Amino acid sequence: MSAGEILLATVPMAATLNLEFLESSAERAVVRMPDQAAYHNHVGGPHAGAMFTLAESASGAVVIAAFGELLNRAVPLAVSAEIHYKKLAMGVVTATATLGRPAAEVIAELDAGKRPEFPVEIAITREDGAVTGEMTVLWTLRPQS
């Protein structure tokens, strides 16, 4: 299964919002949310909560792609998230998530018995390319007991 398929199967909210996982690699994930009136806010664009979920889902896709082979010994968990809404989002929006540290460095910390933390940076854009939001999710790999 791809990282997107895993998330759609295990995170019901991603499926509820009809998120489309366009790309997922160990360095980057791209996820699109179609324009859906049911998830609009008071100005006719995607609700802030829907955009948060879009961005967090993109961050989860890059984490699964980068560390999926470690799921038998570590659980990826979001530690914190910070989002900044920059411009009015209208129509289809896309989140592009980028792993903030080399995966090999994170894995080396886990192998050394530590609980590594690493950021994932996400840009949310409209179809015209304008950045409507930026988010950082801090993740950890919690060793299985």
Side-chain angles (χ1 to χ4, degrees), residues 20-112:
E20 303 167 18
F21 290 82
L22 306 178
E23 177 186 333
S24 56
S25 71
E27 295 82 30
R28 176 181 128 120
V30 180
V31 182
R32 179 173 47 214
M33 183 172 60
D35 187 21
Q36 303 167 91
Y39 305 113
H40 282 178
N41 59 20
H42 62 289
V43 294
H47 188 276
M51 290 195 305
F52 183 99
T53 300
L54 168 68
E56 198 272 341
S57 296
S59 76
V62 75
V63 168
I64 293 296
F67 306 111
E69 77 277 0
L70 302 175
L71 294 179
N72 62 333
R73 63 186 186 112
V75 176
L77 297 169
V79 174
S80 64
E82 184 173 346
I83 192 165
H84 299 274
Y85 301 102
K86 303 286 189 180
K87 291 186 178 185
L88 186 60
M90 298 296 281
V92 175
V93 287
T94 301
T96 302
T98 307
L99 193 63
R101 287 179 58 199
E105 189 178 285
V106 174
I107 293 169
E109 283 185 22
L110 183 67
D111 289 343

Side-chain angles (χ1 to χ4, degrees), residues 2 11-13 19 22 26 36 42 63 72 74 79 90-93 100 103 119-120 126 128 133 135 138-139:
S2 71
V11 180
M13 194 63 187
L19 300 184
L22 306 178
Q36 303 167 91
H42 62 289
V63 168
N72 62 333
V79 174
M90 298 296 281
V92 175
V93 287
V120 175
R126 298 185 305 222
D128 67 1
M135 183 171 174
L138 183 64
W139 285 85

